[in-house]
Amino acid sequence: MVNPRSSSSYRLRRSRFVVPPTIYRLALILLAFSVFLFLVSQRQIPVFDRGPSLPQKSSELEERLWDSASGYGYRPCVKPTHKYAGIQKSTGATDHMFSPIENPKSERSSATAKYFLCAFVLMSYTLYCRFSPIFNFLLASSHYICDMVAVARLMNATLIIPQLDKRSFWQDTSTFSDIFDESHFIKALENDVHIVSELPKEMESAPRVRKHFTSWSSASYYEGMSQMWKDYEVIHVPKSDSRLANNDLPVDIQRLRCRAMYYALRFSNPIESLGKKLVERLKSHGPYIALHLRYEKDMLAFTGCTYGLTDIEAGELKILRENTNHWKMKGINSTEQRLGGFCPLTPKEVGVFLHSMGYPSSTWIYIAAGDIYGGETYLSDLRSQFPNLVSKVHTESLATVEELKEFAKHATQTAAIDYIVSIESDVFIPSYTGNMARAVEGHRRFLGHRKTINPDRKGLVKLFDMLEKGELKEDTKFSSLVIDMHKHRQGAPRKRYGSLPGSKGRDRFRTEESFYENPFPECICPTDHH
C-alpha cells in the first residue's frame, strides 16, 4: 500500500529541485560508461569453473585453497618426561625388565621394581596378538599395534610381532614385515618395550591364557591385569578392538603411542619407494588433492546408502548387508541415513563440492580408495569436472603395470601406498569418516596441521537437494555458502573432543574422538613449549 504522506512529500521535493536537461543527459552518459567499464573488468577476472567469483588476488586464492598456515606454530612433542624410565637390562643376555612409568619415591615402588627383575629372571612375560582385517584393516591394525605397545609397557611384558589373520574376506597373505619395516619397529622402541619377532620355542608349552581385554580401558586396568603373570607366562590377545582409552592416560603412555605410530611403524622399503615415486609424480604437476573416496561396495552396503543407485544395485547392496553376520544393522532407511549425514558423498557430489570450494578443473586429484562401486559409470561425473583424476591402478600415467606387479592381490600393501600419498598431499579430503580418514587426519595434524578438509555431509546434503529442486544454482552465492560452512573444518589446531553430551557408561567412550585422529595436546605442543 502507498503511503499518501510520502507520495505528496515526493511531489513537493520534485517541484523544488528540477534537474536541468543537460545535467540529466550527462548523468546518463556517465552511468552507461560505468556499466561498460564494469562489464570489461568482469571479463578479466579469472573464473574457476563455477567456483567463487569473488574478487580475490591470485596469491590470496592460492593461499585459501592450499595453505595450512605452516603448522599454526605447533610441533610434534613425543619425548618422555623426566619421570619416564626405559628398560632396565639385567646381567642375563635375554633377561629384561621395565621400571615403573613414573618413579615415585617410595619403598613400595622400589620393591615392585625388584620383584619384576626377579620375575623376569625366572620367566618371560609375553603378549601374543593376532589381528583380523576388517574395514580399513591396515589403519585399524596400526592403531591396535600401537595400543598393544603401550599395554605391553603397562603390563611389563614382551610384545610378539603381531600375526595378521589371513582368513579374512580380503584373502591377503601379507605378513607384518611385508607391510612394515620390522627391524626398524623393534629398534625404534627398544628403550620402551621389549619386542621379539616370534614366540621363543621354549615358551610354546608355557602356561598361557586367551584374554579379551576390555575396550577403552585405563592404565590402572592394565596394571591390575599384571596379576595374571602369577599364573600365566603368555597372554594371547585374540580379538582386535580399541585397547586403550582416548583420554585420561599418563602423558608418557600417550607419547609412547605417538612414538609407536609416527616413528616406529614405518612401511617396508618397496612400499615406501613406490609411495614416494607417486608423490613426486603428482607434485610435478603442482599441488594435488588426495581424495579418500569411500564409494565402495562394502561401505555402501554397511551404511545402507543407496542414493543415486539403480534398484538392481540397491538390491545387491541389501543382500550383501543381510548376509554379513557381523553387521548388526539390517533394515536401514537410506533416505534418513543421507539426511543425517551418515552416507559417503557420491563422486558427483564430491565434484560439486570441490568446484564450490574454488578448486579449478585442472587440479590433480588422487583417489585413495579401493574399487569404486559402479566403476566409471559413477566416476565419470567426477572425471568430467576434474579430468586429472588418477589412482594407483586406474591409469598408467601415474604407475606402470610393472611397478604395481609385486603388490597385486595384496590389498593391505596397496592401502599403505594410498596412506603415503594421502599423508604427503597438499590437501586431504575424505568423503566419509572411517579408520583411514581418522588415521590420516591425525598424522597430518601431528606433522604440522596439514590442510585436511572434512566435508559437512549433513549440511551439504541440504544444499545439494536445494540444487536438485532448483531452489539454488551453482553460482557465487552457492559457493559462498559452501566455503562458509567449511571455514572451521580444515584441520586447524584444537583439543580432542570428549564424549557426546548425554552418553553414559562405557558408551561414552565410543563417542569420544579417537586419540589417533587428534593427538593434541599430549603429542602436539606450541613451538615455544619446552
Side-chain angles (χ1 to χ4, degrees):
M1 182 179 294
V2 178
N3 187 327
R5 292 183 60 184
S6 71
S7 179
S8 61
S9 174
Y10 173 68
R11 287 195 297 270
L12 180 61
R13 288 197 298 271
R14 288 193 61 187
S15 64
R16 290 179 180 177
F17 300 102
V18 178
V19 180
T22 55
I23 296 177
Y24 184 72
R25 285 195 295 271
L26 180 61
L28 286 177
I29 293 171
L30 288 173
L31 178 61
F33 185 66
S34 299
V35 171
F36 172 75
L37 287 178
F38 173 76
L39 293 175
V40 171
S41 65
Q42 284 294 94
R43 292 183 62 183
Q44 295 174 345
I45 295 176
V47 178
F48 293 112
D49 303 299
R50 296 179 292 171
S53 57
L54 303 175
Q56 293 177 302
K57 294 180 181 178
S58 178
S59 59
E60 292 176 349
L61 180 61
E62 289 292 310
E63 181 178 343
R64 182 176 69 77
L65 294 179
W66 303 106
D67 187 59
S68 57
S70 301
Y72 299 87
Y74 287 84
R75 62 173 179 81
C77 53
V78 296
K79 290 180 63 175
T81 68
H82 69 280
K83 297 180 179 180
Y84 186 85
I87 295 175
Q88 302 295 317
K89 296 286 180 68
S90 72
T91 56
T94 60
D95 297 331
H96 64 280
M97 64 155 288
F98 295 83
S99 292
I101 295 164
E102 297 185 2
N103 290 322
K105 298 179 180 179
S106 67
E107 293 182 5
R108 187 175 185 277
S109 175
S110 176
T112 302
K114 186 176 181 181
Y115 170 79
F116 278 128
L117 174 61
C118 295
F120 272 92
V121 169
L122 296 174
M123 65 181 66
S124 172
Y125 293 154
T126 305
L127 283 174
Y128 178 61
C129 312
R130 183 181 297 273
F131 298 100
S132 301
I134 49 174
F135 288 127
N136 296 303
F137 156 71
L138 172 70
L139 286 310
S141 294
S142 300
H143 296 177
Y144 304 142
I145 291 168
C146 296
D147 273 2
M148 292 311 298
V149 167
V151 169
R153 170 76 193 194
L154 288 166
M155 292 187 66
N156 301 329
T158 294
L159 179 66
I160 305 297
I161 288 292
Q163 295 182 12
L164 307 182
D165 191 345
K166 300 176 178 60
R167 296 172 298 175
S168 70
F169 65 84
W170 280 20
Q171 298 297 305
D172 190 340
T173 60
S174 298
T175 64
F176 184 94
S177 58
D178 289 328
I179 303 167
F180 301 109
D181 186 333
E182 183 175 317
S183 60
H184 174 77
F185 180 69
I186 295 173
K187 178 71 175 176
L189 296 170
E190 65 180 356
N191 292 324
D192 301 292
V193 179
H194 189 242
I195 303 173
V196 295
S197 296
E198 58 185 13
L199 188 68
K201 295 292 183 182
E202 63 270 20
M203 295 299 300
E204 290 182 357
S205 59
R208 70 168 66 189
V209 63
R210 288 169 61 91
K211 177 63 179 176
H212 292 265
F213 291 126
T214 302
S215 301
W216 297 291
S217 293
S218 65
S220 60
Y221 169 85
Y222 286 106
E223 289 164 353
M225 288 293 106
S226 295
Q227 297 297 315
M228 297 178 67
W229 298 132
K230 293 179 180 179
D231 301 312
Y232 305 102
E233 296 177 32
V234 177
I235 295 178
H236 180 195
V237 185
K239 182 184 177 183
S240 301
D241 206 342
S242 300
R243 293 303 177 197
L244 278 168
N246 293 301
N247 305 306
D248 302 321
L249 291 175
V251 66
D252 277 319
I253 287 296
Q254 298 288 53
R255 290 186 177 182
L256 174 56
R257 294 167 91 180
C258 288
R259 290 198 297 278
M261 185 71 179
Y262 305 127
Y263 292 113
L265 273 182
R266 186 168 68 188
F267 291 118
S268 62
N269 287 335
I271 292 173
E272 284 279 343
S273 178
L274 182 56
K276 289 177 180 178
K277 285 180 182 178
L278 299 190
V279 171
E280 290 172 1
R281 291 168 189 172
L282 284 162
K283 286 189 176 292
S284 69
H285 301 287
Y288 73 93
I289 293 172
L291 172 64
H292 186 45
L293 189 60
R294 290 295 275 133
Y295 204 73
E296 298 153 323
K297 184 176 183 179
D298 53 4
M299 178 51 68
L300 294 176
F302 175 72
T303 57
C305 297
T306 59
Y307 172 78
L309 301 180
T310 65
D311 291 340
I312 294 176
E313 290 169 332
E316 181 184 30
L317 296 180
K318 182 180 180 181
I319 292 172
L320 174 59
R321 185 173 67 253
E322 291 176 346
N323 291 340
T324 305
N325 293 330
H326 60 272
W327 291 350
K328 303 303 180 184
M329 293 293 293
K330 301 300 181 182
I332 299 177
N333 186 309
S334 179
T335 301
E336 291 180 0
Q337 281 285 92
R338 182 170 176 271
L339 292 176
F342 303 120
C343 289
L345 296 179
T346 69
K348 182 178 181 179
E349 290 172 339
V350 170
V352 175
F353 169 69
L354 292 176
H355 269 302
S356 300
M357 289 294 290
Y359 289 100
S361 290
S362 58
T363 300
W364 281 74
I365 300 175
Y366 176 88
I367 297 179
D371 292 330
I372 302 305
Y373 190 59
E376 198 60 32
T377 300
Y378 295 113
L379 269 181
S380 60
D381 289 323
L382 177 57
R383 195 183 302 281
S384 65
Q385 299 175 78
F386 292 91
N388 296 321
L389 187 70
V390 296
S391 73
K392 59 190 174 297
V393 295
H394 292 116
T395 174
E396 287 196 31
S397 64
L398 195 60
T400 66
V401 173
E402 190 64 29
E403 287 175 321
L404 293 168
K405 187 177 180 180
E406 67 176 293
F407 303 105
K409 298 182 181 180
H410 293 290
T412 50
Q413 295 180 48
T414 55
I417 295 170
D418 282 344
Y419 187 84
I420 293 172
V421 178
S422 297
I423 290 297
E424 298 299 329
S425 64
D426 297 276
V427 175
F428 175 68
I429 300 176
S431 68
Y432 186 77
T433 302
N435 286 326
M436 169 77 167
R438 294 189 185 101
V440 171
E441 180 177 355
H443 202 155
R444 289 173 67 85
R445 285 180 178 278
F446 181 80
L447 293 174
H449 293 93
R450 296 175 178 177
K451 198 178 194 73
T452 300
I453 305 177
N454 275 303
D456 181 348
R457 297 188 301 277
K458 186 174 182 179
L460 285 172
V461 163
K462 293 179 181 179
L463 295 182
F464 293 152
D465 286 348
M466 292 175 74
L467 280 178
E468 192 172 323
K469 295 174 183 177
E471 297 172 2
L472 279 177
K473 295 181 179 180
E474 287 186 61
D475 53 14
T476 302
K477 178 183 176 181
F478 184 83
S479 294
S480 296
L481 291 172
V482 174
I483 291 171
D484 288 343
M485 186 183 291
H486 293 87
K487 278 184 177 179
H488 303 294
R489 301 178 67 92
Q490 302 191 28
R494 59 170 175 77
K495 289 187 177 181
R496 202 164 47 253
Y497 294 137
S499 57
L500 290 177
S503 54
K504 298 179 180 179
R506 299 206 62 81
D507 283 343
R508 61 192 174 90
F509 297 122
R510 297 177 182 274
T511 66
E512 291 178 343
E513 185 176 20
S514 166
F515 173 80
Y516 297 104
E517 183 177 359
N518 183 14
F520 184 102
E522 297 94 340
C523 301
I524 301 174
C525 305
T527 51
D528 58 353
H529 178 81
H530 298 289

